Structures are given as structure tokens and as C-alpha cells.
């Protein structure tokens, strides 16, 4: 049994080996066939690629050959063109060399002639010197003078003749200048006015604040006037309500900066509608900062507009302060800018320093910025300020001489005085409030009416003239003339007025008689 199993095992092993061998042989045959097929395909593909590479190489070689031939052709043409240009340059150079040779030959001849001329000139100069020397010796012998004395005599005589001619010419120029001075001055001033500043909307400094309603008025006043007294204390002003119009609050102070600070603070309190001790202090401090900042900005803007260059910061602040200062109703800053522009134009017409003229015009009334704080006239204060900040001596003299206090030492000082007069006297430059206007007219009429023998008086032409009608039975002609002088002197002593005021006295005697029916009736009644 065991033997049979072994035999069967052996037979199975043999059959398995045979089968495996047969399977391997079959797989080997298939692999060989596949390898042959792959080799055949690879060879065919390689042959195809080789053919493609050969064809591509032939095409590239042909293209390269064509490009090379074209490039060679282009190089040959370029070489030929260069050869042509070289030949042309050689020909031109040959011509230039020939011309240079000719010019050198001409120069050699010219130099020879020049040398001969120089030698001839030297000989002539030597002869002239000899003759001059002999002449001087002869003159010295004849005049009994040496050479230096004769030379000095000739110089003195020539200087005298030139001096006489100069005096005549200067006299002619002076006479011509005097004859045309008025016309030229008028032309320059007219030109300055025409090219000068243009009237703009005038900014008025408000002295009042309008309270919109009773509630706001009560808050501003406060309990028993506590709030309004605090505002007065902090701003240094007096606040008074108009007795006839309770909504009108007047701000009274001589300091325009304090007035503006109070106005801004009160308007801010009205706008916020919250009025208390803290809010009042806050708004007053804020208003003061805003006003001071506005002063600085205004001064910088004016200095930049006029192109005055560097100016001390303190002077810039003072220029800004003039914005809140008025004189005869005219804003001092606007007036100073106008004077600067007019003076600058006139200086340019006369070929003077335009910047110094403008600087003098802007600073001529700088003293008005603080004349309410410091004793002295605004001219004196302005002069001291200009000296303290080391302004140009011409500027200082222009400020001093602007109102004739000192002598004018420069033409610019004359221009400043003229520009100041033009700016202040031109129509519409100065204005005043209706109340001041009416009071001035009343004051003029009152002065006239207070004199004995005056029947009536009329202030006309905006107060520039007053006409007085006298009673002819009381005053005669001589007394009327004396009355006119008295009224003139009294106006000059008691009133402040811009420009001139004309005083006219009218004395007229009329004898009236009536003829007609009424007279006959009167006579009949008397007879009856």
C-alpha cells in the first residue's frame, strides 16, 4: 500500500514536472514571439525616425545655406557701400587738405603784412612820442611851465568847463522836472488808483449780539444776573441790554479783542443753549483761542499776499489785531493793505524798492493795534515797535513821517503819506454808524444855533458843510463874518471830524409890502 502510494506520488511528480516544462516552453515561445514583434516594431519606428531626422536635417541645412548666402550677399553690399563712402571721404579730405594749404599760404602772407604794419606803427608811434616830447619842451620854454604844471593847468581848465556844462544841464533837468512834476505826480497817482485795490465787501466789527428769544436771554442773564456778570468778568467787557429792544445786547469795551472774544463766546452759548458756570468758562476760553488763532492766520495771510518776505511773529500778530480796529469807520487792516498796494504801485513806477514801500505801507498804522493799551500816539507807538523789531530805517521814517510829525528822509516816506491820503479820502473809504452820523449833524447844528442872532442852521452834504441863516435885524455883515469864524473855531475845538467842513453864513434882508384888495379893506376898516 505504501509502495503504491509512493509510485503514485512519483508518477504525479513526473507528470507535474512534464506539465510545468510544457507550460514554460509554451510561455517561452510566446515571449520569444513577442520580443521579435517588439524588435520589428522598434526597428520600423527607428527607421521612420531616422528618415524623419534625415529629412529635417536636409531642410535645416538647406535653410542655413540659404540664410548664409543671403547674409553674405548683404555683407558684400555693405562692404561695397563702405568702400564707396571711404572713397568719397578720401576725395573730400584731399579737397580739404588743398584748401588748408591755400589758407596757410594766405595766412603766411597776411602775417608778413601784419608784421610789416606793426613795425610801421611802432616807428610812427616812436616818431609821435618824439614830436610830443619836443612839443612839450617847446611849450614849456614858451610858457615858462614844466610838463606837469601844464598838464595840471589843462586838467583844471577842462574840469571847470565840464562843471559849467554840468550845472547848465542839471539846471535844465531841474526846471523840466519842476514844470512836469505836478503832471507826473498826478499820472502816477491815477495809475496807482486804477491798478490799485478793488473795493470789496466790508467786514464790520459787531458791537452787539442779537438774543433770539426770552429763554436764551434768561439763560444768558442767569439767576440774579450771575451768568452775565461772570461773562463780563472773564471777558473784561460790559454787557448792557437795549432798554427799547430787549433782544439787543451791547458789548462795551475799548479793547476790540475782548469785544470779539465776548461776541464769539455769547453766540456759542446761544447756539448750544446750555448756559452754566462751566460752559461759560469753557466757551470763553475757546473763543479766546479762536480769536488769537484768527489773528495769527490773518497776519500771515496779509504778509503772504503782499509778498513781504520774513516778518517777526509778534508783528504778524499785531497786524492781525488791526482787523478788529477801525478809524473813522474804516477798517485799519484793510486801510493798511490798501496803502501798501498803492505805495507798491507808485514805487514800481518810480523804480524804487517795491517791497520796502509795501512793508512801510502795511506798518504805517501798526501803532493803532495797541494804542488803547499803551500811552502815546499811534505814530509814536508804531515807531517804537518798528525799532524794537529792527525794521529798515526807511520803514521807520515812513511810519514817523506818515502824519507829518518828522521830516521825510526818503521818497518812500512821501509815497506812504500820499497813499495814506488817497486811501482815507477816496469816496466810500470811510463810513460811520447811523447814530454817529445823526449825532454829528446835530452837534454841528447845535454849535451854530447856540450863537446869538442865528435864525436857523442846516448841516448838509453828510456833515461836510453847515449853512447858518442869521437874523439881519440883529447881525450886520461884519458881525456875520465874525460869527462864521467863531463857529469854525468852535467846531475845530469841540468835534472830531474827517476831512474838511465848510461853514457858510447867509444874511438876507427882505422888505415886504402887499398891494391889492386886502390892503383896501384894511384901510376901510381903519376909517370906520
Amino acid at each position: 500500500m505504501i509502495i503504491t502510494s509512493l509510485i503514485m506520488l512519483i508518477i504525479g511528480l513526473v507528470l507535474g514536472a512534464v506539465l510545468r516544462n510544457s507550460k514554460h516552453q509554451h510561455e517561452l515561445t510566446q515571449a520569444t514571439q513577442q520580443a521579435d514583434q517588439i524588435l520589428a516594431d522598434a526597428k520600423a519606428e527607428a527607421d521612420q525616425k531616422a528618415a524623419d531626422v534625415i529629412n529635417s536635417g536636409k531642410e535645416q541645412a538647406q535653410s542655413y545655406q540659404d540664410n548664409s548666402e543671403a547674409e553674405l550677399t548683404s555683407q558684400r553690399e555693405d562692404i561695397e557701400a563702405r568702400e564707396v563712402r571711404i572713397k568719397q571721404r578720401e576725395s573730400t579730405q584731399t579737397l580739404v587738405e588743398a584748401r588748408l594749404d591755400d589758407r596757410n599760404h594766405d595766412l603766411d602772407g597776411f602775417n608778413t603784412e601784419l608784421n610789416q604794419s606793426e613795425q610801421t606803427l611802432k616807428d610812427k608811434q616812436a616818431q609821435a612820442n618824439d614830436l610830443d616830447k619836443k612839443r612839450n619842451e617847446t611849450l614849456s620854454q614858451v610858457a615858462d611851465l614844466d610838463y606837469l604844471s601844464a598838464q595840471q593847468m589843462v586838467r583844471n581848465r577842462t574840469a571847470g568847463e565840464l562843471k559849467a556844462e554840468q550845472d547848465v544841464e542839471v539846471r535844465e533837468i531841474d526846471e523840466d522836472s519842476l514844470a512836469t512834476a505836478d503832471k507826473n505826480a498826478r499820472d502816477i497817482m491815477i495809475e496807482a488808483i486804477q491798478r490799485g485795490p478793488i473795493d470789496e465787501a466790508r467786514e464790520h466789527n459787531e458791537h452787539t449780539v442779537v438774543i433770539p428769544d426770552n429763554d436764551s436771554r434768561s439763560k444768558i442773564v442767569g439767576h440774579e444776573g450771575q451768568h452775565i456778570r461772570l461773562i463780563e468778568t472773564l471777558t473784561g467787557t460790559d454787557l448792557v441790554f437795549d432798554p427799547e429792544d430787549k433782544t439787543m445786547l451791547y458789548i462795551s469795551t475799548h479793547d476790540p479783542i475782548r469785544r470779539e472774544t465776548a461776541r464769539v463766546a455769547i453766540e456759542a452759548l446761544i447756539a448750544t443753549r446750555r448756559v452754566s458756570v462751566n460752559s461759560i468758562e469753557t466757551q470763553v476760553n475757546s473763543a479766546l483761542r479762536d480769536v488769537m488763532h484768527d489773528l495769527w492766520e490773518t497776519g500771515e495771510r496779509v504778509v503772504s499776499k503782499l509778498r513781504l518776505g520774513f516778518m517777526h511773529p509778534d508783528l504778524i500778530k499785531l497786524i492781525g489785531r488791526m482787523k478788529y480796529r477801525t478809524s473813522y469807520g474804516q477798517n485799519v487792516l484793510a486801510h493798511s493793505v490798501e496803502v501798501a498796494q498803492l505805495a507798491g504801485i507808485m514805487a514800481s513806477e518810480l523804480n524804487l524798492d517795491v517791497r520796502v514801500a509795501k512793508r512801510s505801507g502795511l506798518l504805517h498804522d501798526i501803532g493803532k493795534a495797541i494804542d488803547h493799551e499803551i500811552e502815546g500816539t499811534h505814530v509814536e507807538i508804531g515807531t517804537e515797535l518798528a525799532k524794537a523789531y529792527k525794521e529798515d530805517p526807511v520803514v521807520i521814517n515812513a511810519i514817523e513821517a506818515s502824519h507829518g510829525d518828522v521830516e521825510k528822509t526818503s521818497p518812500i516816506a512821501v509815497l506812504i503819506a500820499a497813499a495814506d491820503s488817497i486811501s482815507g479820502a477816496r469816496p466810500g473809504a470811510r463810513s460811520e454808524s447811523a447814530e454817529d452820523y445823526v449825532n454829528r449833524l446835530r452837534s454841528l447844528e447845535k454849535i451854530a444855533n447856540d450863537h446869538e442872532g442865528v435864525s436857523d442852521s442846516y448841516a448838509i452834504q453828510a456833515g461836510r458843510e453847515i449853512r447858518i441863516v442869521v437874523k439881519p435885524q440883529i447881525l450886520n455883515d461884519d458881525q456875520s463874518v465874525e460869527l462864521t469864524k467863531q463857529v469854525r473855531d468852535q467846531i475845530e475845538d469841540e468835534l472830531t471830524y474827517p476831512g474838511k467842513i465848510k461853514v457858510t453864513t447867509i444874511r438876507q434882508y427882505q422888505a415886504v409890502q402887499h398891494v391889492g384888495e386886502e390892503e383896501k379893506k384894511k384901510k376901510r376898516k381903519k376909517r370906520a
Side-chain angles (χ1 to χ4, degrees), residues 9-25:
L9 179 59
I10 294 169
I11 293 172
L13 292 170
V14 171
L15 289 174
V18 172
L19 290 173
R20 281 197 300 274
N21 187 22
S22 176
K23 183 179 181 181
H24 287 314
Q25 188 66 34

Side-chain angles (χ1 to χ4, degrees), residues 255-258 260-261 264 284-299 316-318 320-321 324 373:
D255 190 336
I257 304 302
R258 292 179 181 179
E260 182 67 11
T261 302
V264 174
V284 169
N285 292 332
S286 177
L288 182 59
R289 287 195 302 271
D290 292 343
V291 171
M292 291 301 173
H293 183 67
D294 182 62
L295 296 181
W296 175 260
E297 283 190 343
T298 301
I316 292 178
K317 290 182 181 179
L318 292 175
R321 289 175 71 95
Y324 301 105
E373 300 177 359

